[in-house]
Amino acid sequence: MATFTKANADYLRNTLQEAVVKCSERCLYQSAKWAAELSVSLPTLPSVSSSFDADTDSQMQDVDPPPISPAFHFANNDPEEARLEAQDLSRYLLAKSYFDCREYDRCAAVFIPSALPRGPLSPTSPNSNRRTPTKAGKGKGKDSGVITEVGSEPPSNALPKLSQRALFLALYSKYMSGEKRKDEESEMILGPADGGSTVNKELVGITRSLEGWFADREARGLSGSNQGWLEYLYGIVLAKGKTEEDAKRWFIRSVHLFPFNWGAWLELSELLNNVEELQKVVPELPQNLMTLIFHLYASQELYQSTDPIHKELDELENIFPDSQFLKTQRALLYYHSKDFDEAETIFSALLHADPHRIDSLDFYSNILYVMSARPKLAFLAQVATATDKFRPETCCVVGNYYSLKSEHEKAVVYFRRALTLDRNFLSAWTLMGHEYVEMKNTHAAIESYRRAVDVNRKDYRAWYGLGQTYEVLEMHLYALFYYQRAASLRPYDPKMWQAVGSCYDKVDRPVQSIKTYKRALVAGTYYDQGSSFGSGTTAGEPTGVLDPETLYQIALMYEKLNQLDDAASYMEMTLAQEEGPEEDDDDEAGGHGIGVTTTTSKARMWLARWEFRRGAHVRAMELANELCQDGVEVEEAKALIRDMRARMESGRSPS
Amino acid sequence: MSRYLTPSKVGLLALISLYTESVVPSAATIPVLSFLISQILPVNSVKSRNDDLLRSRDITLTLDDFQKATINHISGIPGRTVWDLLLNKLWKINSFDALHVFFDTLSLLLQKTPEQLQNEAEDGADTDSNPNRMLLSRTSPLGAFVRRAQLEFTRLQFHDGLTLWKSFVTYRAPSLLQWKKRNQTAGNTSFDVNLQQDRLDLGDRLTEVAYGELGTEASQVAGVSTEDVEKLLEYQVDQMQRMGNRLPQAMKMKLRDMIESGVTIPSLSHYVSFLDSWKAGDYPSSFDKLHRYFDYTMHNRDRTFYQYALLNLAILHQDFGCYSEAVVAMQETISTARENNDMVCLNYSLSWLYHFGKAHPEEIHEVQKKGVLGTDREALAFLKAKAKETSMWALLSTSLLSEAKLSLSQGDGVAQAFESILKASHLNVTKNVLNAIGSQMSMQSSVFGRLGVSCQAWVYGELFLQCYASPSPVEDVVHCICKSAFLLSQKGRYEDALARMEEIEEETLGTLRYSQYWTSSLGLLKFRRHLHRDNLTAAEHVLAQLRAPLNLSQDLQMNVSMLEMDLLIRRGDYSKAMEMLEELATKLNEEEADTYQRVKLMTLKAQIYDKSGITQKGFSVALRAASLAHRARLLPALWEAVGRVSAVLISLKEFSAAAKLLDSIMPQVLECEDCNLSAQTFALLADAHVGMAGQAKAETLQRKEQLTKALEHIERSFDEFSRIEDVRGQCEMMAKKATIMHLNGDPVLANDCAAKYLDIKRAAKDQL
């Protein structure tokens, strides 16, 4: 990638432009937008003679070399497809305009006049079908001009002969109409009909048709000339039916056939639950630029803000220097590593560059929320509202603002609005859960978190929130499960481990608790050392300092286990955090200690008592005096001192 | 358009918080407070009317107003005026968030509720606020305003809040220069701290997205809130209903602009346009608008307005002369109001029905049979009781006046009428019912008119016009003006009368009913004048015009008829005049009309008999008229009747009796200040004296004496006639004078008189 020439750029630009046209031909608006943004972000290098770089070329198997001047209609190089497309061009245009007017059923009816079998997608039907999608299809003949009986022989091709483009549009609009109905039937957010009960009733029909179609293609040996779009749709349908492995396969097939459909990549990344799965998928992917971007995106989604990922991002930014998408990814990486200042700077620059851009502003608002930058958050909300007040992102920003102002009822109103606009809007579910927790409405909170997790299982905040809510309900064992999920998603976040630890403590498993607390300590130090990039200092603890709270908890656990020596040593460690690590003392004059806190005071008190019990009166006295000086728990300390004096005197007098 | 909050309210809140911070020195306290109060209190609270007008003129408070109110006061901080501090306060709101904070901290201005105190005590948190800060009581005007503002702000949706913020920025923008003087760092973008931080400028894209084109649009839009507009509309409705005005054209435009700028149109605006088109006499469109208004407001604020819809409908019908429909609508109103227990509406409708019955007795028969109101007296007693019960003082006052009227028209004692009027007057004064004072005074004036004390009647009319014209319904004013013009014309001061008629405000005549009344009255004046000048063709033209409007009030119609008969008499068409008179008389008898009108008719009848040479036939009529008038204390009518009686006596050659009779009434007749009456009476007296001279022996001193007296009376009569420009009367008197001169054997003087007679005739001819 280092030798990125103008030719490369031109080629890439053309390819992306073509992708934009293709996506918008199929009404995949978001993918089209993404590709268009990316193509614009390419640098305009000085013109060199156009020669094609072979290795970027290789990824394009089914597209023509780019035309010299950008055209809006790219001819299909598959003659059969081209013929079909020419044939149903007028009908296609009609259907497309219907789709644009959001008349999905009408759009579908242009190409597929008869009703596809409808009904809920039973969990067994795709499973049973998917085992033999291709093999069963082979046997069946091509007597498929007639509409076969509904559901009798699923894999036969019941679809009329259409170009792939038309077919995709028809089935996709069916899918969309199903989604629309589903949303309508779900009624109110968190209402009685909202939840798992409503399903997209078109899924069965689409699955059957697609299975039949694929089988037919396979049988005719045409699968090589598939364009990837129908595979993408099939993947979506399968993912909806929770048959994720298959869905993954079909998505991979789709991106092989047409790599510039960002939607397919997005769907694929949503199916990856952890880094291991990502690693497993990567070899199966085509070797091209899109895979790089995908890898970056998926890693970001899995909270992998490591140096290699940043390097990857640097490389990509070489190619697309102005890409807002990539910048957003960078900011999110900083956000995940809790480097809020850096993330904020990037987002702020993005906002200045394109004030009308609302995408992922909700993350920005989260960052501002954490930074408690209220004026800025209000301003952001103002800007977003000025552009479009009925975007879920905007609603989230406003909701966050109200949440920061502790006006939880209003915040909930806005999060609900965001969800009404888009039920799959993840952040809103999670944030709404937070608000319900604040409002002490645990049931609603649990439901909101649950929905968030259902939408995206990688949202650690939702898992953590669920844990918290159950903790409020005093169901610690139950909460433990959720905390563990959160911790597995964020293995380097000490907060998660602390939560797990305290849960273990509550369910009386001090050994495990100690383990997890220690893990939390490790995670804390990891972060501090890991944040080599950026200059952020506000996030996390100062370098080299261990979290005194965790240390204190560990000490208490040891006390529970009656290993008092261990406990005492951890208490000492807690105390030591007041001054910070010794080696720092010379460089910066004691600037890094956390100072006296309630936790350290508690530790001091404990130590004083312990020393007192051990008979080390001098040390105990010293500690107690320190306590008095710090002005924390003075009464208790004084009582202790009196007690000691009395003891010492009584001990002295006989001696 | 926001519901309540506007940038100017934010300014007021800032000023209030300044005030509570004890930086306003005691010298400035009262001006600042009165400025605040004048802005905060509702329009129709206890304030003088002029303030109301002033307020309606500038419903939006500009920053300049703040400056004017505060810049002259030196604050507690040296070198700074209150205005400086206020500016500082306003410019410190430097982001949308700051605006939130501003509203949140408003609660610190208020005294804490007991619950809050308790909570604090429980929490142990002792929020020791600024000791210099004075706390506002939660129920004080300022406190209530602050609380309302805070509540309204909490109710705002985010984007509504944004609109407020943006309009506030625009609102504040003009003061940037002034603030810069005190605060050197201020720049173009210092209205938002976020823009400053990022060093943005006005042209920046982000700024543009966030604030749009500052200062161009939106400034007008958010300057007024729905609440303001509603207040304004309420004021308009109040004015229109109370005064019966129409909207001035300029105000109409302004209102339309305001309403167009906002999304939420208060339904009251439909009512305003309904009233407007009603007053304009546009029957179909006022119907349409009435229905539109009540369709929007039938259920508003948990109250049913159905009875009011019907009430309006009934009044509308009545106004446009659909009496039977009006009665039906009003009956439904009454039953609905009863159902809904709306006493105010019920009482009002009953009183309306009563008055309607008085004005149109033929329409009310059906209702009376059903016994909604019972007899007049019962109805009035009922209304009075109800009004007292629900303390509707205006209604009580009008009921009392109606009672006075009733007792007068039924010929009861004048004392009783005066008692009722006095009661009403007392009520008006003690309960401050400014509205009713007009009708009370005009009532009083008309009572004095009946008693023949014209100067009193005149004085009361003047008093009303001078002192109470503005807060009274326009209708009363119009009536009073017409009446005083009539009085003037009676004295023969036609020019003054016409000038008085022109005194009426032009806007008033925008209302159809008033303009009709006014033109008819004017027509009557002119009609009478033409008659007197013997310009009968012109009189006929005017008469044709007077006949045109259909729904004239009964008084006016009566007057027109009387004058028409006069016209016929002057033409010498006695039989036709008689016919007409008989017709009118039967109609009046059927309707149990006002005694005054009946007496008038009877005397007229006697007069016709007289003119047609069968004077004695009019004796019984004249006598009856006299006795009726005497009983009802209708003194001018009585004198006229007595005049007719004495005419009969003269025809019976009972000259001395007639002279005695006439002599005795003469002072009162003069008191009436009715030139026509006194001229007629003098003429009769002269006749009587001539008769007496005839009875005396020729060339005796007695005869000479009588003749001299007669001459004197003729002179007086001539004077009176010439005052009212009555050509015929003048000529008659001149002729009589010439005859007497001739009898006296003074042909030169007689010739003179004859010449004068001809002169007068010629002059009258020339004038035509």
Side-chain angles (χ1 to χ4, degrees):
Chain A
M1 285 298 166
T3 57
F4 191 73
T5 62
K6 156 139 177 60
N8 290 2
D10 280 344
Y11 179 76
L12 203 53
R13 185 175 293 119
N14 281 323
T15 327
L16 281 169
Q17 278 165 358
E18 190 191 333
V20 173
V21 173
K22 285 200 166 172
C23 285
S24 43
E25 268 179 357
R26 284 159 185 81
C27 298
L28 297 169
Y29 303 120
Q30 293 296 329
S31 305
K33 178 174 96 176
W34 185 87
E37 275 178 0
L38 205 61
S39 86
V40 167
S41 67
L42 277 167
T44 42
L45 295 172
S47 102
V48 198
S49 68
S50 54
S51 67
F52 300 120
D53 197 335
D55 79 288
T56 42
D57 195 6
S58 64
Q59 69 212 16
M60 312 289 135
Q61 284 154 355
D62 55 350
V63 283
D64 260 352
I68 307 303
S69 63
F72 279 100
H73 189 81
F74 292 89
N76 207 313
N77 65 337
D78 181 350
E80 171 68 5
E81 278 297 319
R83 191 181 61 76
L84 283 173
E85 275 178 20
Q87 214 171 28
D88 51 33
L89 177 66
S90 55
R91 283 199 297 156
Y92 159 76
L93 288 175
L94 178 69
K96 168 110 167 54
S97 55
Y98 284 153
F99 193 102
D100 289 341
C101 298
R102 298 163 158 271
E103 298 180 44
Y104 300 125
D105 283 330
R106 212 169 163 200
C107 168
V110 170
F111 290 114
I112 310 174
S114 67
L116 291 175
R118 279 174 60 174
L121 190 65
S122 61
T124 51
S125 81
N127 283 343
S128 61
N129 288 340
R130 82 192 159 84
R131 301 280 168 222
T132 56
T134 47
K135 280 156 206 156
K138 263 178 200 165
K140 307 294 165 207
K142 294 181 202 87
D143 48 6
S144 48
V146 225
I147 286 90
T148 46
E149 243 183 284
V150 174
S152 61
E153 280 164 38
S156 67
N157 185 11
L159 298 168
K161 196 161 175 55
L162 294 167
S163 66
Q164 288 183 38
R165 183 175 68 178
L167 190 59
F168 176 82
L169 190 61
L171 290 175
Y172 184 55
S173 67
K174 275 233 181 267
Y175 170 76
M176 288 302 283
S177 96
E179 286 289 300
K180 202 180 102 197
R181 276 206 194 91
K182 183 181 135 192
D183 274 356
E184 284 163 4
E185 280 160 18
S186 303
E187 293 168 6
M188 217 173 72
I189 296 293
L190 290 184
D194 191 25
S197 55
T198 50
V199 285
N200 187 341
K201 293 200 178 85
E202 302 288 346
L203 290 182
V204 174
I206 299 170
T207 329
R208 300 252 165 92
S209 317
L210 279 175
E211 276 165 8
W213 190 82
F214 285 128
D216 187 34
R217 297 286 286 190
E218 186 96 359
R220 289 196 287 159
L222 288 172
S223 42
S225 63
N226 285 358
Q227 289 175 342
W229 302 100
L230 287 162
E231 283 82 352
Y232 162 59
L233 184 60
Y234 191 47
I236 293 178
V237 174
L238 287 177
K240 285 268 169 195
K242 304 278 179 218
T243 48
E244 298 185 349
E245 283 308 313
D246 280 299
K248 244 186 253 177
R249 229 181 38 241
W250 282 96
F251 282 132
I252 292 170
R253 196 175 294 178
S254 166
V255 298
H256 269 288
L257 292 169
F258 187 77
F260 286 91
N261 179 9
W262 180 241
W265 294 105
L266 270 183
E267 294 285 341
L268 184 56
S269 91
E270 262 176 39
L271 293 176
L272 302 174
N273 287 322
N274 47 44
V275 193
E276 289 75 38
E277 282 181 41
L278 175 63
Q279 303 303 344
K280 232 165 47 195
V281 163
V282 167
E284 297 176 37
L285 296 174
Q287 294 297 310
N288 59 26
L289 187 68
M290 290 300 284
T291 310
L292 280 178
I293 297 175
F294 164 72
H295 187 254
L296 170 74
Y297 177 75
S299 309
Q300 180 271 117
E301 286 284 286
L302 293 166
Y303 314 113
Q304 300 297 310
S305 53
T306 53
D307 275 343
I309 299 296
H310 274 281
K311 288 226 175 64
E312 232 170 83
L313 188 52
D314 289 340
E315 271 177 34
L316 281 172
E317 278 197 330
N318 275 336
I319 306 174
F320 305 104
D322 299 328
S323 169
Q324 290 171 343
F325 170 76
L326 292 178
K327 280 183 187 150
T328 310
Q329 297 308 313
R330 169 92 70 197
L332 288 178
L333 285 177
Y334 282 128
Y335 172 48
H336 294 321
S337 61
K338 306 212 166 173
D339 191 351
F340 298 122
D341 280 330
E342 198 71 16
E344 199 272 333
T345 319
I346 296 174
F347 267 123
S348 177
L350 275 175
L351 188 66
H352 286 185
D354 187 356
H356 286 294
R357 184 175 186 270
I358 297 185
D359 301 337
S360 58
L361 278 191
D362 48 326
F363 292 107
Y364 187 23
S365 78
N366 286 345
I367 293 166
L368 291 175
Y369 181 91
V370 177
M371 295 167 74
S372 287
R374 255 172 62 172
K376 211 150 198 174
L377 190 50
F379 183 70
L380 181 68
Q382 183 181 348
V383 173
T385 308
T387 303
D388 187 353
K389 61 186 173 205
F390 294 115
R391 277 277 295 267
E393 286 92 343
T394 308
C395 296
C396 268
V397 176
V398 176
N400 263 335
Y401 175 65
Y402 280 127
S403 175
L404 191 56
K405 283 190 80 232
S406 307
E407 292 184 29
H408 301 295
E409 288 85 356
K410 274 191 180 176
V412 164
V413 168
Y414 277 91
F415 290 133
R416 285 182 88 100
R417 183 182 287 179
L419 290 171
T420 314
L421 293 167
D422 182 1
R423 266 165 211 276
N424 293 329
F425 199 71
L426 170 75
S427 0
W429 282 116
T430 317
L431 293 169
M432 192 156 85
H434 293 337
E435 294 314 310
Y436 278 127
V437 170
E438 293 284 350
M439 288 161 74
K440 309 251 187 317
N441 186 350
T442 40
H443 291 284
I446 288 175
E447 202 171 337
S448 309
Y449 284 133
R450 187 68 236 178
R451 295 294 295 271
V453 169
D454 283 346
V455 175
N456 185 346
R457 266 165 296 173
K458 283 168 292 197
D459 189 15
Y460 71 95
R461 287 169 306 167
W463 288 114
Y464 186 77
L466 271 171
Q468 261 184 327
T469 322
Y470 279 112
E471 228 181 340
V472 171
L473 293 172
E474 310 256 308
M475 295 166 69
H476 297 292
L477 198 59
Y478 217 79
L480 187 59
F481 166 75
Y482 296 108
Y483 282 138
Q484 279 172 336
R485 292 298 294 260
S488 76
L489 279 167
R490 302 269 293 179
Y492 300 111
D493 194 337
K495 209 171 133 199
M496 305 296 142
W497 291 111
Q498 277 166 19
V500 176
S502 80
C503 262
Y504 272 125
D505 172 24
K506 297 271 170 54
V507 296
D508 260 346
R509 283 156 76 177
V511 183
Q512 275 95 334
S513 179
I514 288 172
K515 247 186 214 164
T516 40
Y517 274 132
K518 283 185 176 164
R519 178 94 195 242
L521 283 182
V522 172
T525 49
Y526 171 83
Y527 255 111
D528 293 330
Q529 281 142 22
S531 62
S532 53
F533 41 80
S535 58
T537 47
T538 53
E541 285 75 42
T543 327
V545 176
L546 295 169
D547 182 26
E549 183 62 36
T550 317
L551 290 168
Y552 181 64
Q553 291 296 340
I554 295 175
L556 287 183
M557 287 303 111
Y558 275 121
E559 191 192 8
K560 258 193 189 171
L561 288 173
N562 247 338
Q563 303 175 0
L564 290 181
D565 287 331
D566 287 326
S569 67
Y570 270 97
M571 286 295 181
E572 292 287 357
M573 272 166 82
T574 313
L575 268 196
Q577 303 310 317
E578 279 184 9
E579 270 91 41
E582 284 89 30
E583 65 263 29
D584 270 13
D585 280 354
D586 307 324
D587 311 340
E588 291 154 74
H592 270 312
I594 50 159
V596 180
T597 64
T598 36
T599 316
T600 56
S601 304
K602 269 192 243 165
R604 184 165 281 135
M605 191 73 209
W606 190 92
L607 272 176
R609 289 220 175 99
W610 188 68
E611 299 282 0
F612 173 62
R613 249 176 287 142
R614 279 203 318 184
H617 292 295
V618 183
R619 166 89 166 128
M621 199 66 168
E622 205 173 279
L623 286 167
N625 277 330
E626 272 173 34
L627 268 175
C628 286
Q629 273 170 22
D630 296 338
V632 198
E633 300 190 52
V634 184
E635 295 305 316
E636 259 183 87
K638 275 183 181 161
L640 193 65
I641 290 171
R642 270 196 300 273
D643 203 359
M644 265 186 294
R645 284 220 177 102
R647 289 277 183 94
M648 276 151 92
E649 272 157 28
S650 63
R652 213 173 285 155
S653 56
S655 68
Chain B
M1 191 194 296
S2 65
R3 253 175 48 88
Y4 178 80
L5 288 170
T6 50
S8 57
K9 293 219 167 71
V10 178
L12 286 175
L13 288 169
L15 191 56
I16 289 175
S17 71
L18 261 190
Y19 167 68
T20 59
E21 278 162 16
S22 311
V23 288
V24 179
S26 44
T29 306
I30 287 174
V32 166
L33 269 187
S34 52
F35 172 73
L36 283 173
I37 287 297
S38 73
Q39 298 302 330
I40 287 169
L41 284 189
V43 180
N44 44 5
S45 62
V46 268
K47 267 200 290 181
S48 77
R49 236 192 87 268
N50 292 336
D51 278 14
D52 278 14
L53 277 182
L54 204 133
R55 190 185 157 78
S56 72
R57 212 172 296 133
D58 45 44
I59 185 149
T60 51
L61 190 66
T62 60
L63 211 56
D64 289 344
D65 296 331
F66 277 107
Q67 184 175 0
K68 264 179 235 152
T70 53
I71 200 159
N72 292 324
H73 304 303
I74 290 158
S75 76
I77 294 167
R80 293 273 194 272
T81 61
V82 176
W83 169 241
D84 289 331
L85 294 180
L86 181 67
L87 264 189
N88 192 31
K89 193 127 206 150
L90 287 179
W91 281 92
K92 261 188 193 158
I93 306 176
N94 57 4
S95 69
F96 186 36
D97 183 55
L99 189 67
H100 273 99
V101 174
F102 176 73
F103 274 99
D104 289 344
T105 48
L106 279 183
S107 46
L108 295 180
L109 306 184
L110 298 170
Q111 272 174 1
K112 298 198 170 72
T113 56
E115 294 98 70
Q116 277 176 338
L117 284 176
Q118 200 181 346
N119 284 347
E120 266 178 25
E122 276 169 14
D123 294 349
D126 184 31
T127 48
D128 52 324
S129 52
N130 186 357
N132 285 331
R133 185 185 281 278
M134 62 180 107
L135 293 177
L136 301 172
S137 154
R138 301 181 77 82
T139 47
S140 68
L142 290 185
F145 176 69
V146 167
R147 281 194 302 149
R148 166 110 202 246
Q150 212 179 5
L151 177 72
E152 292 286 348
F153 189 75
T154 322
R155 282 181 52 165
L156 284 188
Q157 292 239 349
F158 186 80
H159 63 267
D160 293 331
L162 263 188
T163 336
L164 175 67
W165 164 238
K166 279 187 211 167
S167 57
F168 176 68
V169 167
T170 339
Y171 183 75
R172 192 181 49 180
S175 65
L176 176 66
L177 279 179
Q178 286 176 302
W179 191 58
K180 245 182 179 169
K181 273 186 214 153
R182 298 282 183 199
N183 208 321
Q184 299 297 332
T185 50
N188 276 335
T189 53
S190 46
F191 58 83
D192 195 331
V193 72
N194 290 299
L195 300 179
Q196 279 176 305
Q197 270 177 11
D198 296 328
R199 305 197 193 301
L200 292 178
D201 215 341
L202 278 177
D204 191 84
R205 279 182 64 200
L206 188 59
T207 324
E208 213 179 290
V209 171
Y211 286 99
E213 301 261 310
L214 267 185
T216 50
E217 38 120 31
S219 55
Q220 295 292 316
V221 177
V224 288
S225 63
T226 310
E227 196 248 1
D228 287 339
V229 172
E230 228 158 52
K231 239 190 221 167
L232 189 62
L233 287 174
E234 256 162 39
Y235 178 75
Q236 298 296 336
V237 169
D238 182 54
Q239 289 290 305
M240 286 168 91
Q241 278 184 332
R242 226 151 40 96
M243 308 297 191
N245 266 334
R246 283 187 70 188
L247 276 184
Q249 205 62 31
M251 194 60 226
K252 223 185 203 166
M253 300 289 282
K254 222 176 210 170
L255 267 184
R256 199 194 304 142
D257 281 353
M258 274 186 185
I259 288 164
E260 267 172 8
S261 68
V263 193
T264 45
I265 305 169
S267 59
L268 210 53
S269 74
H270 298 305
Y271 195 68
V272 170
S273 61
F274 152 67
L275 284 177
D276 193 49
S277 53
W278 172 16
K279 300 293 176 196
D282 187 349
Y283 189 52
S285 76
S286 56
F287 243 104
D288 187 43
K289 281 167 186 166
L290 177 68
H291 279 282
R292 177 176 303 152
Y293 170 66
F294 279 108
D295 287 347
Y296 282 119
T297 27
M298 204 54 95
H299 285 282
N300 197 8
R301 298 174 196 158
D302 298 328
R303 276 177 65 201
T304 343
F305 283 80
Y306 190 55
Q307 63 269 31
Y308 289 101
L310 284 166
L311 181 67
N312 276 294
L313 194 67
I315 299 172
L316 184 66
H317 274 308
Q318 185 230 356
D319 233 29
F320 287 98
C322 312
Y323 299 124
S324 52
E325 276 166 70
V327 172
V328 173
M330 192 46 88
Q331 275 181 297
E332 209 177 329
T333 312
I334 291 171
S335 57
T336 323
R338 274 199 185 129
E339 242 170 62
N340 294 336
N341 262 333
D342 190 341
M343 288 321 285
V344 178
C345 181
L346 181 61
N347 292 340
Y348 184 82
S349 333
L350 287 175
S351 130
W352 182 88
L353 200 61
Y354 171 78
H355 286 284
F356 181 79
K358 289 277 112 185
H360 310 282
E362 69 278 13
E363 301 290 342
I364 206 83
H365 281 313
E366 279 297 303
V367 187
Q368 256 168 355
K369 267 184 223 155
K370 281 186 199 158
V372 176
L373 282 171
T375 65
D376 289 345
R377 290 216 172 270
E378 284 168 21
L380 278 179
F382 174 76
L383 280 176
K384 263 162 48 182
K386 280 285 157 194
K388 222 177 249 170
E389 227 172 70
T390 45
S391 45
M392 291 169 68
W393 304 120
L395 181 65
L396 186 53
S397 162
T398 41
S399 302
L400 283 168
L401 289 183
S402 309
E403 202 175 44
K405 209 173 187 175
L406 185 69
S407 59
L408 278 180
S409 76
Q410 287 183 343
D412 293 346
V414 180
Q416 210 177 340
F418 263 112
E419 188 189 328
S420 297
I421 291 175
L422 271 180
K423 271 186 195 165
S425 165
H426 174 75
L427 203 67
N428 291 344
V429 173
T430 48
K431 305 288 177 195
N432 195 24
V433 192
L434 276 181
N435 271 349
I437 286 186
S439 44
Q440 176 235 324
M441 289 200 125
S442 59
M443 183 80 203
Q444 217 151 355
S445 135
S446 76
V447 171
F448 277 119
R450 276 172 168 236
L451 290 178
V453 197
S454 284
C455 66
Q456 278 281 31
W458 167 255
V459 162
Y460 268 105
E462 285 301 288
L463 210 60
F464 169 62
L465 285 182
Q466 290 292 325
C467 307
Y468 294 102
S470 39
S472 304
V474 174
E475 191 170 11
D476 285 347
V477 179
V478 172
H479 284 219
C480 190
I481 285 178
C482 291
K483 192 158 187 183
S484 65
F486 176 71
L487 281 178
L488 283 170
S489 80
Q490 269 193 340
K491 285 189 223 166
R493 290 159 62 186
Y494 289 110
E495 296 309 320
D496 288 348
L498 289 179
R500 169 55 54 92
M501 288 301 269
E502 295 301 331
E503 269 174 26
I504 212 153
E505 276 171 51
E506 203 178 331
E507 266 163 27
T508 316
L509 298 180
T511 310
L512 181 69
R513 220 146 54 95
Y514 306 149
S515 106
Q516 269 181 357
Y517 188 90
W518 182 79
T519 29
S520 305
S521 303
L522 194 65
L524 276 175
L525 282 184
K526 288 190 172 158
F527 190 28
R528 188 171 289 129
R529 197 175 190 190
H530 285 311
L531 278 181
H532 287 165
R533 284 182 175 171
D534 209 20
N535 189 353
L536 298 186
T537 3
E540 232 154 59
H541 276 294
V542 177
L543 178 66
Q545 281 176 31
L546 282 173
R547 280 279 161 80
L550 287 171
N551 41 4
L552 269 188
S553 77
Q554 217 206 353
D555 292 11
L556 285 177
Q557 253 167 359
M558 188 67 202
N559 272 332
V560 173
S561 307
M562 298 290 270
L563 285 178
E564 195 182 349
M565 281 182 276
D566 194 5
L567 175 69
L568 289 173
I569 291 167
R570 277 168 201 260
R571 284 244 148 110
D573 196 349
Y574 299 124
S575 56
K576 203 166 177 194
M578 201 61 186
E579 228 171 79
M580 208 180 141
L581 189 140
E582 290 297 337
E583 206 177 297
L584 261 178
T586 46
K587 209 168 122 201
L588 284 182
N589 278 337
E590 268 172 24
E591 292 173 8
E592 305 166 18
D594 196 3
T595 329
Y596 178 73
Q597 293 174 348
R598 274 157 63 195
V599 171
K600 269 270 184 200
L601 269 189
M602 285 153 106
T603 33
L604 193 65
K605 197 169 174 182
Q607 201 183 352
I608 296 174
Y609 283 135
D610 184 23
K611 293 257 173 188
S612 45
I614 35 173
T615 318
Q616 287 155 26
K617 216 178 167 186
F619 181 66
S620 70
V621 173
L623 214 54
R624 243 182 21 192
S627 79
L628 247 179
H630 178 67
R631 225 184 318 140
R633 298 289 188 285
L634 285 172
L635 298 186
L638 174 63
W639 311 142
E640 214 177 335
V642 170
R644 294 301 21 123
V645 172
S646 53
V648 176
L649 287 178
I650 290 168
S651 76
L652 287 172
K653 304 203 187 325
E654 291 286 345
F655 301 118
S656 59
K660 247 187 198 166
L661 198 57
L662 288 171
D663 253 343
S664 65
I665 64 166
M666 210 58 223
Q668 278 98 327
V669 169
L670 286 176
E671 212 170 56
C672 287
E673 294 184 356
D674 183 350
C675 296
N676 196 28
L677 179 61
S678 26
Q680 300 265 2
T681 322
F682 274 123
L684 282 171
L685 198 55
D687 284 356
H689 280 294
V690 171
M692 274 156 77
Q695 278 172 341
K697 294 206 173 95
E699 304 294 330
T700 52
L701 189 69
Q702 207 182 1
R703 171 174 272 193
K704 204 150 197 187
E705 195 180 319
Q706 290 297 343
L707 277 180
T708 328
K709 269 188 183 164
L711 265 184
E712 193 183 315
H713 289 308
I714 284 174
E715 205 61 48
R716 296 284 296 271
S717 173
F718 179 82
D719 284 349
E720 298 288 337
F721 273 128
S722 39
R723 241 188 246 168
I724 54 168
E725 305 175 10
D726 192 334
V727 179
R728 286 206 177 184
Q730 282 171 304
C731 291
E732 202 185 322
M733 289 309 115
M734 268 304 139
K736 280 182 182 172
K737 197 175 175 185
T739 319
I740 292 174
M741 293 297 177
H742 197 72
L743 275 179
N744 275 353
D746 199 342
V748 185
L749 276 179
N751 231 3
D752 271 2
C753 286
K756 215 170 179 184
Y757 173 91
L758 287 176
D759 278 350
I760 292 169
K761 274 229 146 151
R762 210 177 301 124
K765 277 260 166 55
D766 286 347
Q767 253 186 0
L768 296 186

